[in-house]
Amino acid sequence: MVSPNLTDYTSVASGFSWDREQAGLSGLPDKQGLNIAHEAIDRHASGELQNHTAFRFIHKDLSVMDCSYQDFKELTNRFANVLGNLGISKGDRVFSFLGRIPELYFAALGTLKKVAVFCPLFNVFGPDPVFQRLSRGDAKVLVTTHDLFEKKVRPLLERLPELKYVLLTDVDHDESEQIRSLPRLMEQASEEFTIPPTDPEDPALLHFTSGTTGMPKGALHVHKAVLVHYVTGKYVLDFHPGDVYWCTADPGWVTGTSYGIIAPLVNGVTNLVDEEEFDATRWYSILEREKVNIWYTAPTGIRRLMRMNVIPREKYNLEHLRLMLSVGEPLHAEAVVWGEKNFGMPFLDNWWQTETGGIMIANYRAMPVRPGSMGKPLPGVEAAIAEVTDDSFTLIDELDKDGHLVLKRGWPSMFRTYLHDEERYSKSFRGDWYITGDLARRDADGYYWFVGRADDIIKTSGHMVGPFEVESALMEHPAVADAAVIGKPDPLIGELVKAFVVLQPGQQQDESMKTDITAHARRKLGPAVAPKEITFIDNLPKTRSGKILRRLLKARELGLPEGDTSTLEQP
Ligand code: AMP
C-alpha cells in the first residue's frame, strides 16, 4: 500500500505556503500565466503521461472508451477552435446541458483553453431552471443533444436573445446559423491550438448553487482555483501515479467539475466517468472491474448501499480500493463505521461548497478519523467559528460551541463574485471572513463538526437544535433508513422538532413504530431535543447533490409555496 502524501497533518499545515505549492503546477509556457486546461491536459500531453489514459468513459451498456492525455489535448484544441471560429472570445459564457458524455468533458476544458467561462447544467433540469440559468448567466453558446434541445430548450430561444449558438452533439447537419452540428464543426476545426495568455484571475467557471436557500446564485471562479484542485488532489484525495479514480458526481454540481474533471487530471491520474445513474450492483461492479483505487462519492449513495443486504468486501474483489471519500451533506457516524466494517476502511468525510471552489475541511488518510466529524481545515485554509448577527461579528474561541463556520478570505479557489449580485457577494463577508452559511463547532483537537445550515436551525423552548444531530440519532434506530427534521412553528415553545422518517423496507408504518422511534430519540437526545412529531414518508425531497430540502418539507407541512424546486431530485 502506497504511503499517504500527507503523513503528518500538523507539520504540513504549519509549514504550508500557497506560493510554494504553486511549484507543483507548470504555468503556461513563456510565463504567459496560469490556465486550468494547460495544467490538466496539455502539460501532461507533452510529457511522460502523453499516452496515459486521462478519461475512461463507461457507457450505459458498460462498454468503455479510453482517451489518453494526448487524445484529450486534440479534442479540447478542436473545441477551442470551434469557439474561435464562431467568434467566441475571452470571458464569453459557454454552457453545457448534457449527460456525462465525452462532449461535456472536452467542451469544459476546450472552453477554458479559449479563456471563455464554462457553466455545466444538470441534464435533468426542466425548461424553467434551464431558462433561468442561461439568462442569468448570459449564455452565448449552449452545447446539448438534439433530444434535450427539442424537449427543453427550443421553446425558450425567443426569450434568450444573447444565446448566439446551440451546438448539438448528435446531428450531422446545421439547422440554421444558430443551431449547429457539433461533430461537423469539430471535424472542420484544426487540432492545433495555442492557449492565449491567461491571467490567474481570469474567470473560468460559473456554478449555480444548489438553491437550498433561496434562488440559485451564480458563483464565479477563476483559473487560479486550479491550485486548490491540485493541493486537495494531493493531500485529501491522495493521488499517486497510476491511480484509477472515480468521482460519482455530475459536473452539474461543483464536485463533478472540481473533482470529476480538474483535480484528477491536474494530478495526472486516470479519471473514470460513468454515464449511468446510481445502481448499487453496477457501482460495486465498477469498483471491482475497473480496479478503482480512490472513490469519491456522497452520503445519499452510501446510505442507499447501506440499505442493501450486501457486504461488499465479501461479494466483490475490492483489493485495489485504498480510499473512500464523501462530500455534500452530513455523513453520519453510522455510515463511517459501516464503511469500516464492510469495506475495511472508513468513508472520509470532507466539507466544502460551491462558493469555496474546492475542499476546505477534510479527514485525511493518515489522520485518525472521528466518525461524524468533517475533519480539519485544509493546510493553507484558516477556518473558525463565529457569532454573527446583522451588525456584529465575533470569533468564538470557546470549544464545542455552536456558531457560524467562517473562512479567512484568500484561498485561491474562493469565488470572486455572485454574477450580477455584487451586493449579495459583499454581504457574505465580514472584513476578512467569509460566512459560509453553515453552523458548526470545533473540538479541543481542532476537528470540525457540522451542526446544520444557519437557516435550518430549530429554536425550541429556547434551545438551539441542529436538525443534523436529531437526524443522526434517528438514523441509529434499526428500522430507520433516512430522516429529515424541521422546526414547526408552535405557539408555546417557538418551534417544535418534527421528523419525517423513511423506514427500512418491510417495516410497519404504524403508531407503535412511532412510539418506539420517539422513545429511542428521547433516550439518545433528551426530551427537549427529541422530535415531538413523526410522520412517515416514502422518500425525502433531496437535491440532485443529495441534500435534504428541509425548507420544502417545511413549506409542504405549513401549506406554503414551495419556492425554487429546480434542483429537486425526482424519486
Ligand atoms: P453545494 O454548494 O451545493 O455543494 O452545497 C454546500 C453545502 O452542502 C454546505 O454549505 C453544507 O451545508 C453542505 N455540505 C457539504 N459538505 C458537507 C459535509 N461534509 N457535511 C455536512 N454538510 C456538508
Side-chain angles (χ1 to χ4, degrees):
M1 173 92 70
V2 289
S3 57
N5 291 323
L6 184 150
T7 45
D8 179 356
Y9 173 81
T10 313
S11 71
V12 173
S14 62
F16 187 88
S17 129
W18 287 112
D19 285 347
R20 242 195 328 275
E21 291 293 340
Q22 183 103 23
L25 301 176
S26 71
L28 285 172
D30 304 323
K31 298 202 175 1
Q32 295 292 297
L34 183 70
N35 185 295
I36 296 176
H38 176 77
E39 302 302 326
I41 296 288
D42 288 14
R43 66 169 173 149
H44 299 313
S46 52
E48 278 173 19
L49 293 174
Q50 185 171 47
N51 297 317
H52 192 71
T53 304
F55 281 101
R56 167 164 281 202
F57 294 99
I58 305 176
H59 302 311
K60 296 202 174 198
D61 64 1
L62 282 168
S63 62
V64 301
M65 183 184 118
D66 285 345
C67 279
S68 67
Y69 279 88
Q70 178 61 28
D71 296 336
F72 230 70
K73 177 178 177 182
E74 288 165 16
L75 281 170
T76 48
N77 280 355
R78 279 182 192 270
F79 190 81
N81 283 322
V82 165
L83 294 180
N85 296 341
L86 294 172
I88 299 303
S89 52
K90 187 169 170 169
D92 286 344
R93 312 231 168 82
V94 177
F95 280 58
S96 67
F97 182 41
L98 293 167
R100 289 180 296 281
I101 57 174
E103 286 82 350
L104 163 53
Y105 295 81
F106 70 66
L109 290 158
T111 300
L112 297 179
K113 283 190 167 179
K114 191 69 195 151
V115 205
V117 177
F118 189 70
C119 179
L121 300 179
F122 272 118
N123 71 344
V124 283
F125 278 152
D128 285 1
V130 171
F131 171 73
Q132 206 173 89
R133 286 161 176 78
L134 290 176
S135 63
R136 289 164 79 104
D138 313 309
K140 274 240 168 95
V141 177
L142 174 67
V143 184
T144 187
T145 63
H146 178 259
D147 192 41
L148 285 169
F149 174 68
E150 292 301 336
K151 283 194 183 133
K152 301 180 186 175
V153 183
R154 194 188 283 278
L156 309 174
L157 285 185
E158 272 187 11
R159 288 190 291 148
L160 293 166
E162 298 289 318
L163 185 63
K164 290 240 161 28
Y165 297 105
V166 177
L167 311 183
L168 299 179
T169 57
D170 50 356
V171 300
D172 294 329
H173 299 286
D174 295 351
E175 176 187 311
S176 63
E177 185 57 25
Q178 184 187 26
I179 301 157
R180 301 290 193 94
S181 150
L182 180 62
R184 204 184 58 80
L185 292 171
M186 286 287 282
E187 202 180 291
Q188 289 167 351
S190 161
E191 62 183 37
E192 300 297 327
F193 183 82
T194 305
I195 298 178
T198 310
D199 189 298
E201 287 298 313
D202 279 337
L205 294 159
L206 177 66
H207 270 289
F208 286 88
T209 62
S210 55
T212 43
T213 53
M215 292 296 278
K217 309 167 268 188
L220 194 66
H221 292 279
V222 298
H223 281 269
K224 198 173 180 187
V226 70
L227 188 50
V228 170
H229 303 141
Y230 163 68
V231 166
T232 48
K234 185 165 71 161
Y235 290 144
V236 184
L237 299 167
D238 194 45
F239 289 132
H240 283 72
D243 275 342
V244 175
Y245 162 77
W246 184 25
C247 170
T248 57
D250 188 281
W253 174 35
V254 68
T255 299
T257 305
S258 295
Y259 296 99
I261 307 179
I262 304 169
L265 300 188
V266 169
N267 284 279
V269 302
T270 294
N271 190 28
L272 287 186
V273 175
D274 183 20
E275 293 177 12
E276 190 51 280
E277 297 312 318
F278 175 87
D279 175 283
T281 309
R282 180 182 176 100
W283 274 27
Y284 284 136
S285 311
I286 289 176
L287 289 172
E288 178 180 60
R289 187 185 80 173
E290 302 301 333
K291 302 184 170 50
V292 173
N293 305 112
I294 302 164
W295 181 36
Y296 195 15
T297 189
T300 321
I302 298 169
R303 283 202 289 274
R304 280 164 149 178
L305 296 176
M306 287 167 72
R307 280 160 81 166
M308 288 180 60
N309 253 345
V310 173
I311 298 176
R313 69 169 167 178
E314 282 179 6
K315 188 146 186 235
Y316 298 88
N317 177 355
L318 303 176
E319 63 181 337
H320 296 274
L321 200 56
R322 186 173 82 232
L323 193 58
M324 309 193 300
L325 306 103
S326 166
V327 71
E329 49 160 331
L331 183 69
H332 301 80
E334 204 202 351
V336 179
V337 173
W338 180 81
E340 249 160 5
K341 203 162 137 211
N342 292 284
F343 285 86
M345 69 195 88
F347 282 98
L348 298 187
D349 189 20
N350 54 72
W351 178 95
W352 60 291
Q353 53 178 199
T354 303
E355 288 85 344
T356 70
I359 296 168
M360 296 283 109
I361 296 179
N363 286 283
Y364 307 86
R365 208 180 128 206
M367 190 176 85
V369 174
R370 297 207 173 152
S373 161
M374 308 188 288
K376 294 189 185 185
L378 181 74
V381 167
E382 201 179 325
I385 303 294
E387 202 175 292
V388 183
T389 66
D390 282 348
D391 38 30
S392 74
F393 178 90
T394 323
L395 291 180
I396 302 174
D397 291 331
E398 215 177 312
L399 299 171
D400 298 316
K401 186 148 192 278
D402 293 2
H404 284 258
L405 175 62
V406 297
L407 302 170
K408 186 92 163 270
R409 188 196 272 279
W411 70 96
S413 64
M414 186 182 88
F415 69 134
R416 297 299 196 266
T417 192
Y418 285 127
L419 211 59
H420 306 310
D421 206 345
E422 197 52 43
E423 192 186 330
R424 198 165 186 173
Y425 182 70
S426 46
K427 275 195 186 145
S428 341
F429 292 86
R430 290 292 169 84
D432 266 353
W433 293 93
Y434 164 62
I435 302 165
T436 65
D438 281 353
L439 299 173
R441 60 172 161 263
R442 184 183 57 234
D443 69 19
D445 299 311
Y447 284 79
Y448 281 76
W449 299 76
F450 184 79
V451 173
R453 283 294 299 181
D455 39 14
D456 277 337
I457 273 292
I458 302 161
K459 194 89 182 272
T460 179
S461 301
H463 297 285
M464 294 277 271
V465 173
F468 169 59
E469 216 165 12
V470 183
E471 287 155 11
S472 298
L474 291 170
M475 298 274 295
E476 284 169 27
H477 188 285
V480 175
D482 214 344
V485 167
I486 60 162
K488 181 176 165 183
D490 182 279
L492 204 60
I493 54 172
E495 286 181 306
L496 68 78
V497 179
K498 158 136 203 176
F500 294 87
V501 166
V502 182
L503 291 179
Q504 297 281 8
Q507 298 289 345
Q508 279 299 326
Q509 298 187 1
D510 56 21
E511 279 311 310
S512 87
M513 179 62 83
K514 277 189 192 170
T515 313
D516 200 66
I517 295 173
T518 306
H520 160 88
R522 284 178 158 242
R523 255 196 324 273
K524 285 257 161 210
L525 299 166
V529 179
K532 299 236 173 340
E533 271 188 18
I534 291 181
T535 294
F536 294 122
I537 188 168
D538 289 336
N539 277 295
L540 295 178
K542 290 194 177 173
T543 67
R544 264 172 291 275
S545 54
K547 277 175 270 297
I548 302 169
L549 281 165
R550 295 193 191 87
R551 66 164 177 80
L552 189 58
L553 282 171
K554 197 161 178 168
R556 285 177 183 167
E557 175 74 18
L558 304 179
L560 297 170
E562 295 193 354
D564 175 23
T565 54
S566 56
T567 55
L568 183 65
E569 182 179 54
Q570 302 304 330

